[in-house]
């Protein structure tokens, strides 16, 4: 998937991308409280979406960067504990977007080291602003030296652009809920170090 190409919804209709469940628990008071602080109910959808993205990207450290041993996966827990890996941060952003009735889902990349070794699945988000027909991917992973993801509705600006020659992949499907392979490892991990050894290498 080249920058600007949109993912393909795995579910028919828009309702699954607005729903609440045990992972994307956007009706939880903790999610609603954060949403309110970001302008839910007052800000235009574009402004709110950008604020939600920046909040998750910048105020919730990626646990692999920070060294936080806790493993989070439920959106409300991610927002409360302020820690998580890319999957967890994506769950939090999707919940904040859905809380404001902005359709959002989960999408993934397969990334590797520069020599093509150590593949791992990386999580992102795609949103569709009301009144538009286009899904646009956003990467709330969190920036660091060498990583400069930005919110954009015109052209994707993810943390990483895939390198097909190394076996990297932009998976085309847009999921309403986390794939079992993702959720299983998050729930099974005892701590961040254990999680690092469980991460899926492909979807």
């Amino acid at each position: 998937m080249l920058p600007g190409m949109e993912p393909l919804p795995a579910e028919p209709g828009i309702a699954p991308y607005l729903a609440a469940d045990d992972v994307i628990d956007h009706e939880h008071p903790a999610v609603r409280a954060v949403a309110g602080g970001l302008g839910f109910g007052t800000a235009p959808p574009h402004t709110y979406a950008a604020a939600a993205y920046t909040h998750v990207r910048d105020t919730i450290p990626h646990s692999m960067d920070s060294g936080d041993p806790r493993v989070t996966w439920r959106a409300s827990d991610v927002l409360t504990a302020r820690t998580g890996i890319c999957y967890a941060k994506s769950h939090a952003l999707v919940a904040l977007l859905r809380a404001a009735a902005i359709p959002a889902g989960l999408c993934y990349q397969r990334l590797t080291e520069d020599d093509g070794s150590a593949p791992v699945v990386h999580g992102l988000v795609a949103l569709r602003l009301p009144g538009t027909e286009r899904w646009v991917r956003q990467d709330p992973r969190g920036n660091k030296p060498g990583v400069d993801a930005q919110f954009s509705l015109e052209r994707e600006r993810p943390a990483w652009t895939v390198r097909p020659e190394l076996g990297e992949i932009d998976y085309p499907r847009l999921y309403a809920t986390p794939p079992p392979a993702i959720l299983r490892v998050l729930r099974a991990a005892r701590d961040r170090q254990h999680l690092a050894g469980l991460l899926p290498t492909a979807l």
Side-chain angles (χ1 to χ4, degrees):
M1 181 185 302
L2 297 174
M5 292 182 66
E6 61 180 302
L8 304 174
E11 304 291 340
I14 209 69
Y17 298 94
L18 291 167
D21 58 30
D22 191 43
V23 180
I24 313 297
D25 57 340
H26 64 74
E27 297 174 348
H28 191 283
V31 178
R32 294 287 170 163
V34 174
L38 296 172
F40 167 57
T42 58
H46 174 280
T47 303
Y48 173 84
Y53 169 85
T54 301
H55 179 84
V56 174
R57 185 193 65 187
D58 294 350
T59 72
I60 302 174
H62 191 292
S63 58
M64 296 296 184
D65 295 343
S66 67
D68 194 313
R70 295 173 294 172
V71 175
T72 54
W73 52 268
R74 184 178 286 111
S76 58
D77 292 337
V78 178
L79 293 169
T80 301
R82 289 182 179 268
T83 188
I85 66 166
C86 59
Y87 309 148
K89 295 185 66 170
S90 293
H91 300 168
L93 178 54
V94 168
L96 289 174
L97 293 168
R98 291 185 188 179
I102 297 173
L106 303 161
C107 44
Y108 301 90
Q109 297 173 314
R110 182 181 189 264
L111 302 173
T112 71
E113 297 293 339
D114 290 340
D115 61 358
S117 65
V120 68
V121 175
H122 173 57
L124 307 91
V125 167
L127 64 88
R128 198 178 96 177
L129 287 183
T132 69
E133 298 296 327
R134 182 168 177 260
W135 292 95
V136 184
R137 294 191 309 171
Q138 312 292 339
D139 190 342
R141 179 218 180 273
N143 290 337
K144 62 179 182 177
V147 175
D148 184 30
Q150 300 292 330
F151 182 83
S152 176
L153 297 175
E154 289 73 40
R155 180 175 175 83
E156 291 179 359
R157 298 185 61 183
W160 293 283
T161 300
V162 300
R163 300 166 293 182
E165 69 276 11
L166 296 178
E168 295 184 339
I169 300 169
D170 272 317
Y171 290 108
R173 296 186 71 184
L174 177 62
Y175 296 86
T177 60
I182 299 295
L183 194 53
R184 182 167 54 247
V185 299
L186 290 171
R187 286 174 162 165
R190 297 185 299 272
D191 54 30
R192 176 188 52 80
Q193 187 172 8
H194 185 217
L195 176 62
L198 300 176
L199 295 176
T201 60
L203 281 183

